[in-house]
Amino acid sequence: MPSYAAPTNDMQFILHDVLNISQSDIDGYGDLDADFTGAILEEAGKIAAEVLNPLNASGDQQGCRMENGVVYTPDGFKEAFEQVKEGGWNGLDMPEEYGGQNLPYVIGTTMVEMFSSANQAFAMYQGLTHGAASAILAHGSDDQKATYLPNMVSLEWTGTMNLTEPHCGTDLGLMRTKAEPRADGSYQITGQKIFISAGEHDLADNIIHLVLAKIPGGPEGIKGVSLFIVPKFMVNDDGSLGARNGVACGKIEEKMGIHGNSTCVMNYDGAVGYLLGEEHKGMRAMFTMMNEARLGVGMQGLAQAEIAYQNALAYAKDRLQGRDVTGVKNPEGPADPLIVHPDIRRSLMMQKSFTEGARAFLLWGAMLIDQSHRAGDDDAEALVSLLTPVIKGFVTDEGYDMTVRAQQVYGGHGYIEEWGMSQFTRDARIAMIYEGANGVQALDLVGRKLPASGGKPVMAFFELVKDFIKENEDNADLKSGFLDPLKQASKDLQAAGMYFMAEGMKNPNAALAGSYDFMHLFGHTCLGLMWAKMAKAAHTALDAGTGDATFFETKLATGRFYMARQLPMTGTLLARIQSGADPVMELDAANF
Amino acid sequence: MPSYAAPTNDMQFILHDVLNISQSDIDGYGDLDADFTGAILEEAGKIAAEVLNPLNASGDQQGCRMENGVVYTPDGFKEAFEQVKEGGWNGLDMPEEYGGQNLPYVIGTTMVEMFSSANQAFAMYQGLTHGAASAILAHGSDDQKATYLPNMVSLEWTGTMNLTEPHCGTDLGLMRTKAEPRADGSYQITGQKIFISAGEHDLADNIIHLVLAKIPGGPEGIKGVSLFIVPKFMVNDDGSLGARNGVACGKIEEKMGIHGNSTCVMNYDGAVGYLLGEEHKGMRAMFTMMNEARLGVGMQGLAQAEIAYQNALAYAKDRLQGRDVTGVKNPEGPADPLIVHPDIRRSLMMQKSFTEGARAFLLWGAMLIDQSHRAGDDDAEALVSLLTPVIKGFVTDEGYDMTVRAQQVYGGHGYIEEWGMSQFTRDARIAMIYEGANGVQALDLVGRKLPASGGKPVMAFFELVKDFIKENEDNADLKSGFLDPLKQASKDLQAAGMYFMAEGMKNPNAALAGSYDFMHLFGHTCLGLMWAKMAKAAHTALDAGTGDATFFETKLATGRFYMARQLPMTGTLLARIQSGADPVMELDAANF
């Protein structure tokens, strides 16, 4: 049975040695010294390892069930949810006035990783509540905030996001759910939504659905979409719960993974809804949360890769099979452990160098969000908007791939459900799809984010890379192992951007055909930058003689692997991009 | 619900336009004209589409179950098995004296693809029987052949392969199952085998287990392993079935996929076994079947990619979502079909160019096996031995990846079991693991096949590529689109081989650390060669003005995609290989 230990040392390294958070002047960062963050990480790690992870496999096996319209989560979920609630974990980065602790988002992000690693299906009940609460926080009236936020921050109530309909996912302009105005200013919501995570369950007294719908007579398509709050139970003026609203779960979907999360078909049958934000500006309201939501999904990709790696590593150290070709390593035993074999190490190093690089990438992204929200830094906002589709698309693709590799380390046992490795790949698979399928992320990156503000954000990214290389070019320790490969990756990324500019003007398909490869090219470059920064931090610590030298040496070796073996992928990605639109577009649809 | 149509046109193109089978002087190939093979393909395709495929999803949902020691296959499997039996499909390439039709292996291979696409879990009952029968054919005494083969060829009885034990998979030298000689010349088999596909079921009257075990007192390790025939029911001298033998299914494993196939823990409790081949030469007996068995598993990778692609394509043409950025394509509808979008096309073209390239690769491999077995061509045997780990490792890795891409085309629906796309990835996943995990294939390729006969087979491969390029270099149609990229890939492959030779002498880990990348580098080069050959054949047909011009034009466009966008991967793979052992090996196991 798999286990989980929170990678708190690595998180501390990134927060303090790489991002130097406590030296930042972002509001609230000054308090985040290593002792303080260490205490939080340890507590969150304990919940993850001791409360959530033990329910991961059983939750997968049992799944959710619906009986007479009531949805039951797997055994133990309710009790675990109470513990998360009591610990105040959902309020970590929520405002104090609604019961939160007002800590920076970067801290909340470390908790999201741990909870998602330990039990993704479970963590989603909380994650969606956090997302829905953020939307109400950003767009709600004072009255709405007062009505819903305290209970959502505390997890007395949970939340959902209702976007997809049977005939429309990406293209929400085709939406049919309608919201008809009622005399009292509320709306009557009618329609069917599908793929609603945590849509119905037994963990909370009330569920606050955020629902996209069209007000009849409004603009056509996506411009006529509004966002509504639709509580499962009506909330009385005194805050007590009233009658059941006209919303019900029609069915729980049978999915490839995340069985412990109830993915519901939700039927709205004249349910009472309250406009959240402005009429017809529903998509804008959704988009303001998008960076955070997509970062959260990117985190799931990392989180599954992390727990899969931990277990693959344990198995590789434990399982005796074959002998080291350069000499027996375990003469007392009948065979050497798997980890002596170069190809097993290759796989483990791929996983390790990915998870550590991606963790730095995500925490940097979270810090940029804090910089934007807490310090009003528009450049940080522009940069994280640019990086968001990369985080979501690249990290979930690679994260999934790493779970497959971890499963492979187990050989035949990896395919047997009892061993638990299959669940990681099945759970990780969804992150490539929801919150905007990864092809849509690539489109967002190349079609919207790249040309945004005349390309200013992407130029800022290149400057950042260039400056880092320049600042450190005299550092012989970094030069050949880190800076040179980073420079090459950045050059490939720029060449791809130039290609899009030159060709995309003539033919938008020239850019779109290469968008997915560009997203990966960007992702590898970001991880290359993260590894160069981590290498610098490791060298600095080694020079200072502080901390655990083995930790920093290991960090450097792991980084060298990424730079030498993973980063050269940028060359292939650039070649694909530069092959242009023709190979992708020339075939008539009829001739496929 | 997914559907399947056998790609018979594409198979005919490869058999006749590319491999020119009926012009070959291999025994039996002269009869294989297009009408003849067309008739077989059509019949096999019909069974696949109409009998096996309708049971694929239901077989996945129901799985196998054991009650009181009896294993039941999913509803409908028994009836379908009868139809396959009646059609004589298992004897297609078996000798006439045992009831087969003695057709070449290349024809049997087309059937394996179709049956595996349609229902992999089902096809395995037959596939394992075919494999076990091949082993008895190659190593059995006349008496053993007469006793078992007619019933296995006809599918009255099925077969299994028993290698793995709980503590040993790859490293079979650790095996504990023992075979004690009995006075009558038979053996008493005792031990536990796991992961035994089709180990117990209700489809046949008897099951013939081939079991690896150690005869006490024999050589240590892998050199003391022998192969035994252990029937489920004893066979009387008159061929009738006697008493139940001491072998029983202990448990059916719960797996990620291929639920319709019973993967059993098999307990041998003093079962009567008969030595197959020589004492202590069990591995050699297994290895003589290995090329075919591994080609069969490679075929499963292709087969799942094919059916997944077919359904992704259908969805991409049907699902309306978004608009073509270069202009509306479906003005009558609320949106354009997915296939207008460049990123969807990119994914579909990846799938299409892989499956068609891999099909040519596999059928070429099958033809080499015929050349070896039917024409006694040792060079062909050496070449196919070299290519076998590439076929198994590369095609199953890429095949799995393509099923993931196909699933992605469905967006959220791809994650819902009801839509059937998840099953293709779950079923395809096993092919990367069994019959030698893909890392073991890479080891076999670099450690055994590459240095075999002083490198003669790999040099022969390079000659073959060189000769093809040379023969066609005046063909302007092929030059830039096909021959130049092929030349580059082949150059990268040679450079990798040279690196292994130069560095591997000093440090075997320098070669082993790059073995997996080498396997993929080799695979891409093979598919590049296949596409160049297919392009030539398509041009020849277009010049001759015979056949369906659109088919050949489509073939060329699909090939151009592979050469322009997939083949550049060889550059990254070479860079990884040339980074050597250090990045992979430098970390102490304790510091992971």
Side-chain angles (χ1 to χ4, degrees), chain B residues 10 37 83 101 106 159 169 178 187 210 225 229 234 280 285 289 315 389 443 449 452 475 487 498 511 549 551:
Chain B
D10 203 48
T37 61
Q83 284 194 255
Q101 297 176 56
V106 74
K178 60 176 190 232
Y187 293 79
L210 298 194
V225 168
I229 298 174
M234 303 303 289
H280 314 316
M289 296 176 308
Y315 191 78
L443 180 63
K449 302 298 175 62
N475 187 334
K487 194 185 274 184
M498 297 293 285
F551 177 89

Side-chain angles (χ1 to χ4, degrees), chain A residues 38-163:
Chain A
I40 295 175
L41 295 180
E42 197 177 323
E43 279 308 306
K46 214 181 273 178
I47 297 276
E50 295 170 13
V51 179
L52 310 188
N53 192 237
L55 302 173
N56 197 38
S58 58
D60 179 58
Q61 282 147 24
Q62 280 184 29
C64 296
R65 67 181 207 283
M66 184 158 83
E67 281 171 20
N68 304 319
V70 181
V71 172
Y72 299 92
T73 54
D75 292 350
F77 271 40
K78 213 167 156 53
E79 295 73 15
F81 202 72
E82 285 303 314
Q83 285 192 254
V84 173
K85 199 196 288 189
E86 278 163 28
W89 290 105
N90 199 43
L92 215 58
D93 53 9
M94 282 287 175
E96 282 171 15
E97 65 178 305
Y98 302 115
Q101 297 176 58
N102 197 31
L103 287 171
Y105 181 65
V106 75
I107 299 300
T109 302
T110 60
M111 173 201 65
V112 171
E113 180 189 329
M114 294 187 252
F115 287 13
S116 296
S117 275
N119 196 328
Q120 179 174 327
F122 179 95
M124 287 170 67
Y125 292 103
Q126 176 188 346
L128 283 151
T129 307
H130 192 277
S134 298
I136 295 173
L137 193 61
H139 301 283
S141 65
D142 290 345
D143 191 38
Q144 288 174 334
K145 291 185 199 176
T147 304
Y148 300 106
L149 287 182
N151 282 313
M152 292 175 80
V153 167
S154 69
L155 289 178
E156 288 298 322
W157 301 347
T158 64
T160 70
M161 302 285 187
N162 293 240
L163 287 77

